[in-house]
Amino acid sequence: METNIAASSRRKSHRAFFAILISVVFSVSYNFSRFRSWKPLEENSNSLHESLVTDNKPKVAGLSCPAFPLLEQSQFEAAQQELVYWRDIPDDSQLVSPYKCPSHGNQTRKFLTFEPDEGGWNNARMAAETAITMAIAMGRVLVLPPTTTMYLLWETTKTSKKTHFGFMDFFPLELLQDELAGLEIMTFQEFLEQEVLTGHVLANPHTGEPLQPPGGKTKWDGSLNNWESGRQGNGQELWQWWRSVATPLPWKYYECTAVFPKPSHECDGPTPWNAVTEVDEQRMRDYMQQILQQEPDGSPQPRIRSYDGNPTAVDASPLDRLAEIVADRRQLCIYDRNLQEASVLHAMGQQSESTTRFLVHFYAFVFMEDWRHDIWLKRLVRDHLRYVDEIQCAASRIVASLHEKAYNAETNPEGLYHSMHVRRGDFQRAYVQVVIPGEALYEEHVKDVFEEKSTIYIATDEKDATYFAPLAQHYNLFFMRDFMHLLEDVNPNYFGMIDQVVASTGQVFIGTYLSTFSGYINRLRGYRTRKNNPKEITTGNLRSFYYYGIPEYADKKKLMQRYHSVEQAFWTHEFPVGWRDLDHGVTNVLDRRRI
């Protein structure tokens, strides 16, 4: 990434040119002086353009992998197209936060920094998604944390020694800031050098002198371990200092819902952003009061259960949508004027009495008052915050090979297969609720789901192959280890993400309840609903099952086959509201330069 201000200006110029080009190519008429509201298309207007396959498609759209000599090219290309669930909706790329001024000339830059979550990759991914969507919702520059050693991502090979990672290694963030008008990104080093040490932000209020990081150090890349967080080591030195100078977000996701009101105060000289007023804040509090009044006995469970098989419309009123999303939380965390005025907000990654992590799905925490803001944010994650091409292309190799192995001219001419995720490893110590012998896994959870002799791809951290012997007697099993000849050029720390992508393509999927790894597989499957099972777009239902180890979890087996509302503990699995009906309205709304 270029690191100077001139480079940033060039990127902004490129975005402006790209926006003009898109508006010409797709005949989109924007009124740049009055893009304050949504305007429906006339009945005879063209629908929103989508360009999954074009000669000049944006860099994140579609998937085009280098030819791989061990695979037949047409099969490899078909596998690539099978993986693509993300859409290229040009108008979405041009939308920005509702708090951004129409004119950028008088805009004050504000920032959101965040720490990597202290858990494993999927916990860190979950928290990063939440931080990224909050930055976009707020209209703040997203400051990425330094690269770090992440829990369990420390494998090396003769050809791959990289063990320090940043979120740019997993998501195409550098490309996204060139595509998305609503996203600007800086590295932590850039931020310290260009904004903090220059005194542009957080200067000493008494002397005006710039802040100095510990030891005057600005390059922290590769010196942190995410599991240490701010407790010890270099993480303690950096994050304890930074928490003391930035404005920490005090929001506890399990106690409150983060609410972003539609601002009623428009930009002016003293306030160079669209500001939330006391009236806006009170409107949010009134919503919450009305929701609590629906619980005469003080229990949220009847309300939560009322959504089973009965989803709230994505374009419903703010009150109706919020009533579902709050779950059993009794408070709102409102993005109010005080938080708006803070130059730097900081999201922590450590759980303690005085700090909070964001171990929550972004869509179960971040609530935008205007439904169009809300659904746009969810589409941004679906269509842009996806795994990088190296991961997707490696997964495509396995998918192409799996189809070939599953193929039978008479019984399986399409080469279809099912998939599973069997979490063992440290789960056997931490979550005994899902510990189960291999024999019971087959008899109680697999036998009645997968047809005999079918092909199954299993993503697992179980090293003992004999655990799967009961399944092997009935199914044609494949694991990542069977495809290592296709992955010799891939960093082994990507293997978990590759496993997720491959497992998400099974016709039917069985996952491990309580596993965020299985949870994300289901969300990827949900994103593919539009292509694979369009009848379930508005329900979010999936052909997925969960296995468990205790009778109390018997209702979890078919949990993903019927709509259900978000509820605590949020991390245990993913929820249909994260992927259902996300394209609602994109075919009858065009004038959406700013929402």
Side-chain angles (χ1 to χ4, degrees):
M1 179 187 292
E2 296 176 274
T3 60
N4 53 43
I5 295 296
S8 177
S9 298
R10 287 196 298 272
R11 285 196 293 266
K12 293 296 183 183
S13 297
H14 172 72
R15 292 178 198 164
F17 172 77
F18 186 77
I20 294 171
L21 178 62
I22 288 295
S23 68
V24 173
V25 173
F26 295 101
S27 302
V28 179
S29 297
Y30 295 120
N31 185 332
F32 288 95
S33 64
R34 297 176 62 252
F35 40 67
R36 290 186 174 84
S37 62
W38 298 71
K39 297 179 181 179
L41 282 176
E42 301 297 332
E43 289 299 324
N44 58 354
S45 298
N46 294 324
S47 62
L48 187 68
H49 293 277
E50 178 182 6
S51 53
L52 282 177
V53 183
T54 66
D55 292 334
N56 298 304
K57 62 188 176 186
K59 295 177 183 178
V60 182
L63 181 64
S64 181
C65 305
F68 193 71
L70 299 182
L71 297 172
E72 199 278 322
Q73 185 60 23
S74 63
Q75 295 177 356
F76 186 31
E77 291 176 355
Q80 294 170 44
Q81 291 306 307
E82 181 178 347
L83 291 194
V84 175
Y85 57 79
W86 50 94
R87 295 182 64 182
D88 171 26
I89 302 175
D91 271 14
D92 274 3
S93 298
Q94 299 309 307
L95 304 182
V96 298
S97 164
Y99 306 113
K100 283 272 193 179
C101 291
S103 172
H104 295 286
N106 200 31
Q107 184 76 52
T108 299
R109 289 170 92 218
K110 295 181 179 294
F111 304 86
L112 185 138
T113 62
F114 72 100
E115 304 167 21
D117 185 82
E118 60 187 345
W121 162 249
N122 282 285
N123 293 351
R125 171 195 53 74
M126 191 187 310
E129 287 178 338
T130 300
I132 292 168
T133 52
M134 287 195 297
I136 295 173
M138 296 172 181
R140 290 175 176 267
V141 178
L142 175 71
V143 181
L144 298 174
T147 60
T148 182
T149 300
M150 293 189 178
Y151 179 63
L152 295 182
L153 299 185
W154 46 55
E155 297 294 326
T156 61
T157 65
K158 292 181 179 179
T159 58
S160 181
K161 304 296 183 183
K162 181 179 176 67
T163 57
H164 297 109
F165 295 96
F167 290 101
M168 281 189 176
D169 291 308
F170 304 102
F171 302 119
L173 294 176
E174 190 168 3
L175 299 178
L176 291 186
Q177 75 166 345
D178 289 330
E179 283 193 16
L180 301 180
L183 177 64
E184 183 178 356
I185 297 174
M186 300 182 77
T187 66
F188 205 78
Q189 182 178 351
E190 289 174 332
F191 176 63
L192 290 177
E193 293 175 352
Q194 297 177 19
E195 302 295 336
V196 177
L197 291 183
T198 59
H200 290 163
V201 296
L202 302 178
N204 187 303
H206 303 293
T207 66
E209 291 294 318
L211 289 176
Q212 292 293 322
K217 183 178 177 180
T218 61
K219 184 175 177 58
W220 294 83
D221 287 334
S223 65
L224 308 176
N225 299 319
N226 82 303
W227 62 89
E228 293 180 341
S229 190
R231 293 187 177 91
Q232 56 187 325
N234 290 327
Q236 182 180 40
E237 184 178 20
L238 173 62
W239 297 128
Q240 292 290 357
W241 166 73
W242 188 243
R243 293 171 189 172
S244 71
V245 296
T247 301
L249 271 174
W251 298 345
K252 296 182 178 180
Y253 70 89
Y254 45 88
E255 293 181 352
C256 69
T257 305
V259 175
F260 293 83
K262 187 175 182 180
S264 58
H265 181 93
E266 296 187 356
C267 302
D268 53 31
T271 309
W273 58 84
N274 295 313
V276 174
T277 66
E278 175 58 36
V279 172
D280 300 328
E281 295 177 37
Q282 185 59 47
R283 189 171 64 251
M284 302 302 106
R285 290 190 284 267
D286 289 344
Y287 289 153
M288 192 64 189
Q289 185 62 32
Q290 292 179 65
I291 292 169
L292 295 178
Q293 288 174 352
Q294 298 174 15
E295 305 170 1
D297 62 351
S299 171
Q301 282 305 310
R303 173 173 48 81
I304 294 174
R305 296 279 67 84
S306 72
Y307 300 109
D308 290 349
N310 183 35
T312 303
V314 296
D315 59 353
S317 70
L319 174 61
D320 289 342
R321 291 186 297 109
L322 184 60
E324 178 174 351
I325 294 303
V326 294
D328 64 348
R329 292 170 286 201
R330 321 309 282 170
Q331 304 172 31
L332 297 182
C333 289
I334 302 174
Y335 187 57
D336 58 22
R337 187 150 187 162
N338 288 333
L339 289 175
Q340 275 193 290
E341 291 176 348
S343 59
V344 183
L345 293 178
H346 180 63
M348 295 170 283
Q350 174 186 340
Q351 193 66 46
S352 69
E353 291 184 3
S354 59
T355 62
T356 184
R357 63 202 290 211
F358 288 88
L359 190 61
V360 61
H361 309 300
F362 75 94
Y363 56 80
F365 181 60
V366 176
F367 177 84
M368 308 291 286
E369 183 181 12
D370 191 315
W371 72 269
R372 292 160 293 193
H373 305 177
D374 195 75
I375 203 171
W376 163 67
L377 206 58
K378 292 171 184 171
R379 281 200 303 270
L380 280 189
V381 174
R382 180 194 69 182
D383 297 338
H384 298 279
L385 206 58
R386 49 102 169 164
Y387 283 145
V388 294
D389 282 3
E390 184 175 353
I391 293 172
Q392 303 284 358
C393 291
S396 297
R397 299 174 188 175
I398 296 177
V399 169
S401 184
L402 263 175
H403 281 306
E404 185 177 6
K405 293 179 181 300
Y407 172 82
N408 182 290
E410 295 182 358
T411 61
N412 192 3
E414 296 182 70
L416 303 179
Y417 54 87
H418 303 305
S419 57
M420 296 180 66
H421 169 232
V422 178
R423 177 70 188 271
R424 301 279 289 168
D426 55 3
F427 244 49
Q428 296 179 82
R429 298 186 301 274
Y431 299 105
V432 296
Q433 306 98 309
V434 294
V435 174
I436 187 171
E439 295 81 0
L441 178 63
Y442 169 70
E443 290 290 342
E444 300 173 15
H445 300 281
V446 178
K447 182 171 66 173
D448 63 339
V449 174
F450 297 149
E451 59 273 18
E452 192 82 3
K453 303 301 182 183
S454 58
T455 297
I456 304 175
Y457 179 84
I458 300 180
T460 186
D461 57 353
E462 176 58 66
K463 305 300 184 183
D464 185 0
T466 62
Y467 177 82
F468 296 101
L471 274 70
Q473 296 175 20
H474 302 273
Y475 305 108
N476 189 21
L477 303 185
F478 289 96
F479 304 83
M480 178 173 282
R481 60 176 175 264
D482 298 312
F483 302 95
M484 294 307 295
H485 61 292
L486 304 178
L487 305 175
E488 292 179 353
D489 59 338
V490 178
N491 187 306
N493 295 295
Y494 280 161
F495 286 175
M497 300 81 182
I498 295 168
D499 247 353
Q500 283 182 308
V501 175
V502 176
S504 73
T505 63
Q507 294 295 295
V508 178
F509 170 69
I510 300 176
T512 305
Y513 188 64
L514 300 181
S515 167
T516 53
F517 189 106
S518 282
Y520 191 56
I521 291 172
N522 273 323
R523 197 201 312 167
L524 296 181
R525 292 173 64 79
Y527 287 155
R528 288 200 180 87
T529 301
R530 182 177 59 88
K531 292 173 59 177
N532 299 342
N533 197 6
K535 292 183 179 180
E536 300 293 356
I537 287 176
T538 58
T539 67
N541 297 347
L542 304 178
R543 296 180 66 194
S544 294
F545 296 80
Y546 273 120
Y547 78 84
Y548 50 88
I550 57 176
E552 290 82 355
Y553 280 1
D555 62 328
K556 309 304 182 187
K557 183 170 184 175
K558 297 183 179 181
L559 182 65
M560 305 309 297
Q561 297 178 32
R562 187 167 186 251
Y563 185 87
H564 57 288
S565 173
V566 298
E567 57 185 319
Q568 305 221 41
F570 300 113
W571 56 267
T572 59
H573 65 290
E574 300 248 4
F575 301 87
V577 70
W579 58 81
R580 67 168 290 268
D581 209 11
L582 295 191
D583 296 314
H584 182 86
V586 297
T587 58
N588 59 15
V589 174
L590 264 179
D591 191 4
R592 310 183 309 155
R593 170 67 177 177
R594 175 185 165 272
I595 59 175

